[in-house]
Amino acid sequence: GQSLEQPSEVTAVEGAIVQINCTYQTSGFYGLSWYQQHDGGAPTFLSYNALDGLEETGRFSSFLSRSDSYGYLLLQELQMKDSASYFCAVGSGNTGKLIFGQGTTLQVKP
Amino acid sequence: DTEVTQTPKHLVMGMTNKKSLKCEQHMGHRAMYWYKQKAKKPPELMFVYSYEKLSINESVPSRFSPECPNSSLLNLHLHALQPEDSALYLCASSPRLGAGELFFGEGSRLTVL
């Protein structure tokens, strides 16, 4: 089976940096994705790591360590609009299954 | 065009009704997905289509019936639903099966009375 763990809630202030961790267990792992979802909205893709290391996209970066079954999403220069739920998701094998973690609610305070 | 379009945005139905949710994408993606999401929960995979063929059915009750008429369209037919089926139904697409990036539609919010 597959399982993912991420913190349920994180709070930070505007302008700060926050890291959301994700640990996973899956067979045939092929990648770790991150999605953002605002209340009432649809999930929006943020980043994808298939190989170890850091991927940077603007204020957001994502890291993967396959040997540790661990990844994180790093959000820099936090803005109020970053308040949302963040989901890590793992894909396994070639089945097309992308399974989501329980989500981390990020609250950005002034 | 990088959108996945879902209709209707909102649907209210009785337990004896038959209705359908529709999803369309024009990005040339060959994999399409249905997810179900309850409030404060993650999206839960229901069905995956690859090249218009059903690839995954996550043991979804038969009152949900998916259909992929062509590479751009995905339907979810609903019949004899239960109140606990009330949720946000999300359609997504990706270039191929196994791609890490899914493009989601805005969802259809379903209420079953």
Side-chain angles (χ1 to χ4, degrees), chain A residues 9-50:
Chain A
E9 291 182 1
V10 173
T11 302
V13 297
E14 256 187 313
I17 299 172
V18 73
Q19 179 174 312
I20 301 174
N21 298 321
C22 176
T23 57
Y24 61 86
Q25 283 187 323
T26 186
S27 56
F29 171 86
Y30 69 75
L32 181 70
S33 305
W34 289 92
Y35 289 80
Q36 178 192 61
Q37 187 175 27
H38 287 98
D39 274 351
T44 303
F45 172 79
L46 292 177
S47 69
Y48 174 65
N49 295 68

Side-chain angles (χ1 to χ4, degrees), chain A:
Chain A
Q2 294 162 297
S3 68
L4 298 97
E5 283 193 24
Q6 54 181 126
S8 58
E9 291 182 1
V10 173
T11 302
V13 297
E14 256 187 313
I17 299 172
V18 73
Q19 179 174 312
I20 301 174
N21 298 321
C22 176
T23 57
Y24 61 86
Q25 283 187 323
T26 186
S27 56
F29 171 86
Y30 69 75
L32 181 70
S33 305
W34 289 92
Y35 289 80
Q36 178 192 61
Q37 187 175 27
H38 287 98
D39 274 351
T44 303
F45 172 79
L46 292 177
S47 69
Y48 174 65
N49 295 68
L51 301 176
D52 292 351
L54 192 67
E55 293 281 340
E56 298 181 72
T57 309
R59 294 188 296 115
F60 294 177
S61 303
S62 58
F63 172 82
L64 174 66
S65 169
R66 288 175 295 171
S67 59
D68 296 321
S69 298
Y70 163 76
Y72 66 72
L73 179 70
L74 191 73
L75 298 86
Q76 302 182 74
E77 300 172 21
L78 282 175
Q79 302 175 8
M80 297 297 291
K81 67 178 182 179
D82 297 328
S83 293
S85 292
Y86 292 84
F87 295 94
C88 59
V90 292
S92 65
N94 289 319
T95 63
K97 278 192 180 187
L98 192 68
I99 304 301
F100 286 75
Q102 291 299 304
T104 298
T105 301
L106 171 63
Q107 185 178 16
V108 180
K109 295 187 172 180

Side-chain angles (χ1 to χ4, degrees), chain B residues 39-75:
Chain B
K40 307 295 184 189
K41 294 292 186 182
E44 182 183 329
L45 184 64
M46 300 175 72
F47 301 105
V48 181
Y49 274 82
S50 177
Y51 287 85
E52 301 149 52
K53 294 205 180 327
L54 184 64
S55 174
I56 294 175
N57 175 342
E58 287 287 274
S59 302
V60 179
S62 60
R63 57 185 185 270
F64 295 91
S65 174
E67 179 196 19
C68 190
N70 60 54
S71 60
S72 300
L73 293 175
L74 187 66
N75 299 323

Side-chain angles (χ1 to χ4, degrees), chain B residues 13-64:
Chain B
M13 59 187 290
M15 289 190 286
T16 58
N17 293 158
K18 283 186 180 181
K19 297 285 184 183
S20 296
L21 306 180
K22 297 186 184 302
C23 175
E24 190 168 3
Q25 59 88 12
H26 294 288
M27 295 178 279
H29 288 176
R30 305 317 300 261
M32 296 187 76
Y33 311 75
W34 280 114
Y35 281 85
K36 171 184 176 179
Q37 188 177 29
K38 293 271 205 178
K40 307 295 184 189
K41 294 292 186 182
E44 182 183 329
L45 184 64
M46 300 175 72
F47 301 105
V48 181
Y49 274 82
S50 177
Y51 287 85
E52 301 149 52
K53 294 205 180 327
L54 184 64
S55 174
I56 294 175
N57 175 342
E58 287 287 274
S59 302
V60 179
S62 60
R63 57 185 185 270
F64 295 91

